[in-house]
Amino acid sequence: MFNKILVANRGEIAIRVMRACKELGIKTVAVYSDADKNALHVQYADEAVHIGAASPKESYLNADALIRAALDSKADAVHPGYGFLSENASFAAAVESAKLTFIGPSADSIRAMGDKAESKIRMKKAGVPTVPGAEGLESFSDFEKAADEIGYPILVKASAGGGGKGMRIVWDSDDLPEEVDAARREALHAFGDDRLLIEKYVADAHHIEFQVFGDKHGHLVHLFERECSVQRRHQKIIEETPSPSLTPELRKQMGEAAIKAARAVNYYNAGTIEFIFDPLLSTFYFLEMNTRLQVEHPITEHATGLDLVHWQIRIAAGEHFPYQQDQLSQRGHAIECRIYAEDPANNFLPSTGKLLQYIEPRGPGIRVDSGFRAGDEVTHFYDPMLAKLIVHGESRELAIQKMQTALRDFVVHGVVTNIDFMQAVLAHPDFADGKVSTRWIENNFNWTPPVEPPFESFIAASLADIVVPGTKSQVPGLNESDPYSPWKTPSGFRN
Ligand code: MV4
């Protein structure tokens, strides 16, 4: 087992990984940029190494600095977290070349799944359902012919892309020339690679992903699904497991397809197979594979009872994963809400500032993974996610109620958050009915911020509570004759 692990990441995921290390008796090394020198993940680690300036490319994306920090601190292994270099095959290979263990899949698996066109061809060969489409198209007439065969609407996607970048929906053949050119320009700009593929567009699809886990001895299992359809512009907001859309038979079929997909690239460690699911036809199609641990992994942990980061570390150290598929099951219902410092009333623009007040909810079945505490500065350098709020309940209805209560108890002052927005989603009948597709927020959800009384009115109400001798309190119900009222104490002490 490893003696020391360097976590090549920041924020909540760095703390989450370090917690697992500590539970396994492994020392931890944090890395930090100029902007993170007082960050919680730095204080939580046994050691910390400064790796560069605030901008990610000079710090958390600087592979040489990260590997040098691991070697200098005599770490045995590197955990990449998610984002940053977690799906960078060259970084994984460089870590292994430096005689360190990369806690994740092999560089070959990352490479094989990094190109959407190649991964799709490989999936087709492995018998994994893929969306009808065409890859490797060169001339515009190739696109035109393929699109006519598939039938509109179609999606034009960047082969080197993912997460929706460079993706264009084409509803009619007249729009094809312009959309193909735009997709090509966007792909070249975003990925330096303008290869495209086209697919039949599955309108109002659900985004359902399956967690897979493999060890280095060829044993692969799935840890069931996560429904991630509550998204806005490809940013997930609310995730849950089990999916309200799946029947046991569909779950079995998709789980088997997920394992086939992982086996096709000799996968080991934690990975996620993304599917789109058409609830009208009850059909599912492989979208892509995420060769890393995901933000939303905690809901799988609570539904299966497994600590995914513990098992990532133990598998990376060569242990066998001890459970067979029929020994794994889902229990209860788990939901995750991502608390973002952003303003839904202002086109979700990031909100920066000092966390004047930050109080996390607590209670049975409530978990908060966060990298912030009161007094911290929320900056524009990194992802605006403040925390992940995860709840686990006996049923979906109880989990929703638990989440609504926990969100009400989550206190954040100093930045604007999306908490009210998520409360409105959770309260919507379509969410309760499991009818939210990936297009629901854009097409069906009209949200206006709750009308808050002006801040001055809170001041006035508080002041009115302080009964000044000889004047009548303005607050109805305050019992003047109550000698034990906290507002009557002569000392001036106030709760
Ligand atoms: C699709 C699709 C429907 N039909 N492909 C989104 C980014 C990447 N993961 C692939 N994605 C999709 N591919 C076909 N053939 C629906 C999505 C999709 C999506 C599309 C538009 C807006 C939001 C979306 C969220 C998740 C998935």
Side-chain angles (χ1 to χ4, degrees), residues 299-472:
I299 60 175
T300 299
E301 294 190 309
H302 290 271
T304 61
L306 298 179
D307 184 307
L308 299 193
V309 181
H310 275 210
W311 281 111
Q312 278 196 290
I313 294 167
R314 297 174 70 173
I315 277 167
E319 289 189 30
H320 288 256
F321 187 72
Y323 303 109
Q324 296 306 315
Q325 192 64 56
D326 59 7
Q327 294 174 289
L328 298 163
S329 61
Q330 296 168 294
R331 187 180 62 79
H333 198 95
I335 304 175
E336 175 182 89
C337 280
R338 301 188 189 196
I339 314 287
Y340 284 107
E342 61 186 13
D343 186 356
N346 191 8
N347 199 27
F348 292 84
L349 286 177
S351 173
T352 56
K354 194 183 188 69
L355 288 178
L356 302 173
Q357 225 184 358
Y358 179 80
I359 303 170
E360 298 172 348
R362 299 184 173 285
I366 296 175
R367 165 177 167 180
V368 179
D369 284 10
S370 176
F372 288 92
R373 79 225 116 163
D376 282 355
E377 200 69 36
V378 180
T379 67
H380 66 281
F381 289 112
Y382 309 113
D383 184 273
M385 187 171 77
L386 288 178
K388 302 174 329 198
L389 171 56
I390 300 103
V391 300
H392 187 229
E394 286 169 46
S395 68
R396 185 169 190 259
E397 292 66 30
L398 289 170
I400 292 173
Q401 288 165 357
K402 197 178 274 279
M403 180 58 83
Q404 289 171 319
T405 305
L407 282 171
R408 274 199 295 275
D409 291 350
F410 213 136
V411 176
V412 182
H413 288 309
V415 294
V416 180
T417 74
N418 63 339
I419 288 176
D420 288 332
F421 180 82
M422 290 190 290
Q423 287 281 31
V425 172
L426 290 163
H428 198 286
D430 289 355
F431 183 82
D433 297 342
K435 291 202 169 70
V436 171
S437 77
T438 51
R439 307 285 283 165
W440 184 78
I441 289 207
E442 267 98 337
N443 297 343
N444 306 77
F445 186 56
N446 301 311
W447 178 76
T448 48
V451 178
E452 291 275 335
F455 190 59
E456 294 70 25
S457 63
F458 287 114
I459 301 288
S462 309
L463 289 174
D465 263 353
I466 298 168
V467 178
V468 179
T471 60
K472 187 156 175 46

Side-chain angles (χ1 to χ4, degrees), residues 148-438:
D148 289 341
E149 282 166 18
I150 295 166
Y152 290 87
I154 62 161
L155 255 184
V156 182
K157 292 181 176 180
S159 292
K165 267 197 189 138
M167 204 170 75
R168 321 287 289 202
I169 304 174
V170 185
W171 297 99
D172 185 284
S173 58
D174 295 343
D175 305 328
L176 190 64
E178 180 191 338
E179 293 299 351
V180 166
D181 285 347
R184 211 182 273 289
R185 282 196 308 273
E186 202 171 324
L188 192 61
H189 175 71
F191 312 109
D193 176 344
D194 66 355
R195 288 176 301 123
L196 301 173
L197 59 95
I198 64 172
E199 294 178 344
K200 179 76 182 161
Y201 176 52
V202 180
D204 287 334
H206 283 228
H207 176 130
I208 297 177
E209 59 189 34
F210 268 70
Q211 180 72 54
V212 294
F213 234 100
D215 63 24
K216 292 182 174 176
H217 313 284
H219 180 41
L220 258 168
V221 295
H222 73 77
L223 299 179
F224 307 102
E225 80 276 10
R226 293 185 289 260
E227 169 90 44
C228 306
S229 298
V230 182
Q231 320 191 357
R232 182 181 170 277
R233 294 188 185 173
H234 303 290
Q235 176 177 288
K236 296 169 183 167
I237 303 171
I238 299 177
E239 303 105 336
E240 65 179 304
T241 183
S243 161
S245 312
L246 292 190
T247 62
E249 181 50 33
L250 268 168
R251 181 170 290 112
K252 183 172 180 297
Q253 292 170 16
M254 293 177 83
E256 287 165 356
I259 290 174
K260 261 188 200 171
R263 197 171 300 291
V265 291
N266 305 309
Y267 202 80
Y268 55 72
N269 215 281
T272 294
I273 308 294
E274 282 191 6
F275 295 103
I276 42 169
F277 172 68
D278 183 341
L280 297 179
L281 303 176
S282 285
T283 53
F284 62 91
Y285 306 98
F286 169 85
L287 263 191
E288 54 198 67
M289 180 176 196
N290 299 323
T291 53
R292 56 174 159 78
L293 184 70
Q294 305 229 170
V295 171
E296 58 268 28
H297 76 273
I299 60 175
T300 299
E301 294 190 309
H302 290 271
T304 61
L306 298 179
D307 184 307
L308 299 193
V309 181
H310 275 210
W311 281 111
Q312 278 196 290
I313 294 167
R314 297 174 70 173
I315 277 167
E319 289 189 30
H320 288 256
F321 187 72
Y323 303 109
Q324 296 306 315
Q325 192 64 56
D326 59 7
Q327 294 174 289
L328 298 163
S329 61
Q330 296 168 294
R331 187 180 62 79
H333 198 95
I335 304 175
E336 175 182 89
C337 280
R338 301 188 189 196
I339 314 287
Y340 284 107
E342 61 186 13
D343 186 356
N346 191 8
N347 199 27
F348 292 84
L349 286 177
S351 173
T352 56
K354 194 183 188 69
L355 288 178
L356 302 173
Q357 225 184 358
Y358 179 80
I359 303 170
E360 298 172 348
R362 299 184 173 285
I366 296 175
R367 165 177 167 180
V368 179
D369 284 10
S370 176
F372 288 92
R373 79 225 116 163
D376 282 355
E377 200 69 36
V378 180
T379 67
H380 66 281
F381 289 112
Y382 309 113
D383 184 273
M385 187 171 77
L386 288 178
K388 302 174 329 198
L389 171 56
I390 300 103
V391 300
H392 187 229
E394 286 169 46
S395 68
R396 185 169 190 259
E397 292 66 30
L398 289 170
I400 292 173
Q401 288 165 357
K402 197 178 274 279
M403 180 58 83
Q404 289 171 319
T405 305
L407 282 171
R408 274 199 295 275
D409 291 350
F410 213 136
V411 176
V412 182
H413 288 309
V415 294
V416 180
T417 74
N418 63 339
I419 288 176
D420 288 332
F421 180 82
M422 290 190 290
Q423 287 281 31
V425 172
L426 290 163
H428 198 286
D430 289 355
F431 183 82
D433 297 342
K435 291 202 169 70
V436 171
S437 77
T438 51

